[in-house]
Amino acid sequence: MSKELAELLFSKIDKSPEDYESIYPKRNLKEGAMVTRLGPSPTGFIHLGNLYGAFVDERLAHQSGGTFYLRIEDTDDKRFVEGAVDTIIDSLEFFDINFDEGASKEGDKGSYGPYFQSQRAEIYQCFVKKLVEEGKAYPCFMTEEEIAEVRANQEANKENPGIYGKYALNRDLTLDQVKAKLEEGLPFVIRLKSDGVSGENAKQISVEDGIRGVLTMPENFQDTVILKTTGIPTYHFAHVIDDHFMRTTHVVRGEEWLSTLPIHVELFTKLRFELPIYCHTAQLMKIDEEGNKRKLSKRKDPELSLDFYKEMGYHPTAVREYLLTILNSNYEEWRKENPELPCEDFPFTMEKMSNSGALFDLNKLNDVSKDTLVKISAADLYDFLLAWAKEFKTEIVSLLEEDKEYILRILDLDRDGNKPRKDFVCASQMFEYISYFFDKHFKLEDTMPMETTEEDVKKIVARYLESYDHTDDQSQWFDKIRKIGAALGYAAKPKDYKKNPDDYKGHVGHVSTVIRIALMGRSQSPDLWGIQQILGEAKTRERLTKFK
RNA sequence: GUCCCCAUGGUCAAGUGGUUAAGACGCCACCCUCUCACGGUGAAAUCAGGGGUUCGACUCCCCUUGGGGAUACCA
């Protein structure tokens, strides 16, 4: 009877399960090679949490000599967004996450496709048919109203909600009953006929998770929908079929899937497929407005979309470094010992991953970013800044292109030696930070120190300009400032002023701040002398003259 | 409601029965110093609570609490 039913429901399916086993044979990879995948739904929205997970997949596969592929999980047509696939690929590529196989801008790549679930209906249906044949799945015609009624009853009786056991009204329909309903043209879904039981008699299943160790949970008992009215499977079924036939060895996914794991285990078992190794990652969290820890969410956290980092101009390497520090707690230590090695050399392990959700920490990212950027050459930094500007700050592109040499010197200011400056965090901040070098962006931002008077300020600038010699070395230059200050009643050494504040108006630091503001518009900057050398004599004099 | 996962300073965390409970970010102070940054030194700050088990619990078990997730023909 099951066979007839299966034939009735899926008359168009001509391939057999065995056919697919040979179409998608086991991959010929070396021992220990992992096959991982990213399975985004095509909303086109990728956030830091996705990148976090993708990074795990990527590292695992590439570190082991395996394969990392992209599969588009578009079983929910309501979610489709045009151009989403390209967006996903671009976003990930920016952060150096590259796929070996799967959906790509040039179409499917690899021999385990199609890589869009919406194009795999035949494959899924073949196995749904098989399950029906074996009496492990059945058509269900229950209407929304019927389901709602069941639920209401269950709630009233304090029973587990869902379609299972005696509540699965269409579980044991006869062939004739099915035929009759079909003739009426009633829509139906295919449900799994679960062997599990609800409540105290439920069996416990154990699954070894790559990150969390042995997980023990009650078996599934729900007659979960595996094929929707549309003939497209639900995530659960598509996952099982795809990861089996794409020969995924490690399923890395967020912990929100933990509670549906028993469904997947039952499906794998009923299909007689080997279970992949599941790796359930903790979710990245953030603190919301009410001060609660919360999962990063697509709708509420646009600032945590990957685009945010691109727009701010965070360097992809910095983001990777940061992610690695929260992914594997021993990464920072390793990085300290191996400052020059690429992060790909770090032996990434699942066991070192945290089981609890990390809170995203912008402070930490900034710190990691400073350390990352300080290791990047001025030339590369320039290219990065320019590329960023072309996309997000076009008005400064010509400025950057006009005099590359000038900018290289600015970017390299005081970055050598064993105590290099670490001024740069991200592209937007970089430009802001060096903007005073450009007349167009130069403006007076800070006020003169309160230790100085208006009159003194004028005198200081005038005398400084008068004595200015561009060929002075740093100490000659600074001696002059000391003298100018001393003549006006400012201590030549800050310590003298601190000891006897009443003897002086201020100290040489205040004097140089005056010059700094006159020259840069700001009270804080890298070494003044070095800046003047880059600015050049003409511009230095010009700014001082203008200031008077 | 039910089920599942998680729980060490503000944040990320080391720790797997005996430790002065690492380290990093942030914060604060001091040093270096013409400002800032860098660098250095130091400080404050953590085992959610309650029961067990044990000679001994951050560590093992139970309960409570808190947080997260699932409970869809969404993924």
Side-chain angles (χ1 to χ4, degrees):
Chain A
M1 119 103 202
S2 296
K3 185 126 189 127
E4 267 177 87
L5 179 59
E7 211 47 57
L8 179 66
L9 261 14
F10 300 102
S11 54
K12 277 179 282 185
I13 297 300
D14 49 3
K15 284 203 179 65
S16 73
E18 293 71 32
D19 291 338
Y20 288 110
E21 289 291 343
S22 61
I23 295 173
Y24 305 113
K26 282 201 173 154
R27 290 169 187 267
N28 187 19
L29 291 167
K30 66 170 191 181
E31 182 77 22
M34 301 179 184
V35 178
T36 60
R37 101 271 125 125
L38 191 72
S41 57
T43 58
F45 188 92
I46 293 267
H47 60 72
L48 200 68
N50 299 134
L51 182 63
Y52 172 91
F55 203 24
V56 178
D57 282 310
E58 190 272 343
R59 280 293 78 218
L60 252 28
H62 291 157
Q63 189 171 266
S64 66
T67 301
F68 176 41
Y69 69 90
L70 176 65
R71 177 173 75 220
I72 304 301
E73 310 211 329
D74 53 352
T75 53
D76 182 12
D77 43 8
K78 291 184 285 297
R79 284 200 184 196
F80 189 79
V81 175
E82 196 62 38
V85 176
D86 285 2
T87 309
I88 291 167
I89 293 171
D90 285 342
S91 302
L92 260 15
E93 192 178 41
F94 181 76
F95 292 99
D96 222 17
I97 304 279
N98 296 296
F99 298 97
D100 308 306
E101 184 182 306
S104 83
K105 288 186 183 173
E106 295 80 38
D108 278 5
K109 222 166 67 182
S111 43
Y112 289 83
Y115 294 93
F116 283 71
Q117 290 183 329
S118 58
Q119 296 168 22
R120 298 170 64 79
E122 259 182 48
I123 309 175
Y124 302 124
Q125 288 180 17
C126 172
F127 287 87
V128 172
K129 182 180 178 185
K130 175 186 162 178
L131 288 180
V132 173
E133 254 174 41
E134 295 177 356
K136 294 170 181 167
Y138 63 93
C140 173
F141 298 86
M142 285 175 75
T143 60
E144 272 181 55
E145 292 72 36
E146 285 174 308
I147 293 173
E149 201 185 319
V150 165
R151 171 178 295 271
N153 278 331
Q154 288 165 330
E155 270 169 24
N157 299 333
K158 297 203 165 145
E159 287 182 286
N160 286 320
I163 304 304
Y164 59 93
K166 64 175 177 182
Y167 296 110
L169 270 28
N170 290 356
R171 220 179 193 209
D172 301 306
L173 254 32
T174 64
L175 188 58
D176 288 336
Q177 284 174 309
V178 173
K179 273 186 186 159
K181 285 183 187 284
L182 249 26
E183 269 160 33
E184 273 183 68
L186 295 175
F188 65 94
V189 297
I190 303 292
R191 287 183 185 274
L192 171 72
K193 192 182 278 183
S194 174
D195 293 328
V197 289
S198 149
E200 286 173 12
N201 297 325
K203 279 196 250 91
Q204 294 290 118
I205 56 166
S206 283
V207 179
E208 169 108 30
D209 186 279
I211 294 171
R212 290 160 194 260
V214 179
L215 297 169
T216 305
M217 41 182 70
E219 62 181 344
N220 172 55
F221 62 88
Q222 298 273 356
D223 283 1
T224 312
V225 172
I226 56 177
L227 200 68
K228 307 185 211 177
T229 320
T230 52
I232 294 293
T234 55
Y235 168 85
H236 309 300
F237 197 71
H239 150 57
V240 172
I241 298 299
D242 290 346
D243 282 317
H244 175 71
F245 285 110
M246 293 182 182
R247 307 295 174 178
T248 309
T249 62
H250 294 253
V251 173
V252 180
R253 37 139 83 149
E255 63 185 340
E256 70 269 25
W257 292 109
L258 230 29
S259 38
T260 47
L261 183 56
I263 299 174
H264 305 150
V265 171
E266 185 169 14
L267 284 170
F268 269 101
T269 309
K270 287 207 155 47
L271 256 2
R272 291 187 294 276
F273 291 163
E274 191 188 340
L275 203 64
I277 297 172
Y278 285 98
C279 307
H280 290 97
T281 63
Q283 292 286 2
L284 233 36
M285 315 282 262
K286 72 164 267 177
I287 297 281
D288 68 8
E289 303 69 34
E290 288 91 47
N292 300 316
K293 211 172 176 180
R294 196 193 71 212
K295 171 181 158 185
L296 245 32
S297 99
K298 312 175 190 197
R299 228 158 294 134
K300 292 184 187 168
D301 305 314
E303 83 277 20
L304 287 165
S305 88
L306 252 30
D307 288 342
F308 171 78
Y309 301 93
K310 277 174 98 168
E311 280 165 33
M312 289 294 288
Y314 279 96
H315 194 101
T317 308
V319 176
R320 281 168 71 86
E321 285 282 317
Y322 170 69
L323 246 23
L324 231 20
T325 65
I326 56 177
L327 236 24
N328 261 196
S329 52
N330 52 330
Y331 181 74
E332 282 190 272
E333 199 182 329
W334 177 86
R335 174 49 83 206
K336 209 172 172 184
E337 285 162 19
N338 306 282
E340 302 306 327
L341 294 179
C343 69
E344 286 75 20
D345 286 9
F346 170 73
F348 179 84
T349 55
M350 283 181 287
E351 293 77 15
K352 277 282 176 191
M353 287 186 66
S354 173
N355 288 357
S356 54
L359 226 42
F360 174 75
D361 185 354
L362 194 64
N363 269 329
K364 187 76 179 181
L365 203 215
N366 288 155
D367 182 68
V368 169
S369 195
K370 280 184 178 182
D371 284 327
T372 305
L373 295 192
V374 81
K375 284 187 271 188
I376 296 175
S377 72
D380 287 349
L381 231 37
Y382 172 84
D383 291 341
F384 173 66
L385 184 59
L386 184 60
W388 171 80
K390 280 182 178 165
E391 200 170 347
F392 300 106
K393 204 170 172 73
T394 46
E395 68 268 29
I396 65 165
V397 169
S398 57
L399 200 65
L400 294 174
E401 283 175 333
E402 241 163 52
D403 194 349
K404 182 172 173 180
E405 285 312 307
Y406 182 55
I407 293 164
L408 287 181
R409 291 181 69 194
I410 295 170
L411 293 178
D412 242 352
L413 183 58
D414 240 357
R415 281 207 328 147
D416 51 355
N418 54 355
K419 286 200 290 184
R421 295 191 67 89
K422 297 178 180 173
D423 291 323
F424 303 135
V425 175
C426 56
S428 54
Q429 170 265 355
M430 274 168 78
F431 181 73
E432 188 51 38
Y433 194 81
I434 64 171
S435 61
Y436 57 80
F437 276 99
F438 311 100
D439 288 339
K440 201 177 145 196
H441 296 266
F442 169 82
K443 58 177 182 288
L444 272 176
E445 292 174 9
D446 292 331
T447 52
M448 289 298 173
M450 29 182 288
E451 286 81 358
T452 60
T453 61
E454 209 172 313
E455 193 186 346
D456 280 354
V457 166
K458 283 191 173 149
K459 281 184 189 161
I460 289 167
V461 175
R463 290 183 193 182
Y464 179 70
L465 181 59
E466 207 171 288
S467 70
Y468 188 76
D469 182 342
H470 197 64
T471 61
D472 280 346
D473 67 20
Q474 197 168 6
S475 65
Q476 288 170 323
W477 162 80
F478 194 62
D479 276 343
K480 284 183 178 170
I481 295 182
R482 281 207 164 99
K483 281 189 189 123
I484 292 169
L488 291 166
Y490 293 86
K493 291 184 176 161
K495 274 188 179 158
D496 294 341
Y497 173 66
K498 275 181 192 166
K499 259 185 243 162
N500 305 301
D502 298 337
D503 296 356
Y504 306 95
K505 293 183 190 164
H507 62 75
V508 66
H510 301 123
V511 179
S512 64
T513 297
V514 169
I515 298 164
R516 180 169 271 117
I517 291 175
L519 231 31
M520 262 100 65
R522 314 179 176 181
S523 60
Q524 300 175 355
S525 80
D527 172 53
L528 243 180
W529 180 82
I531 290 172
Q532 289 174 158
Q533 293 301 309
I534 295 173
L535 227 38
E537 177 162 13
K539 185 154 286 175
T540 303
R541 287 188 182 279
E542 183 194 320
R543 285 203 180 165
L544 290 167
T545 309
K546 264 191 191 160
F547 185 81
K548 281 203 295 182

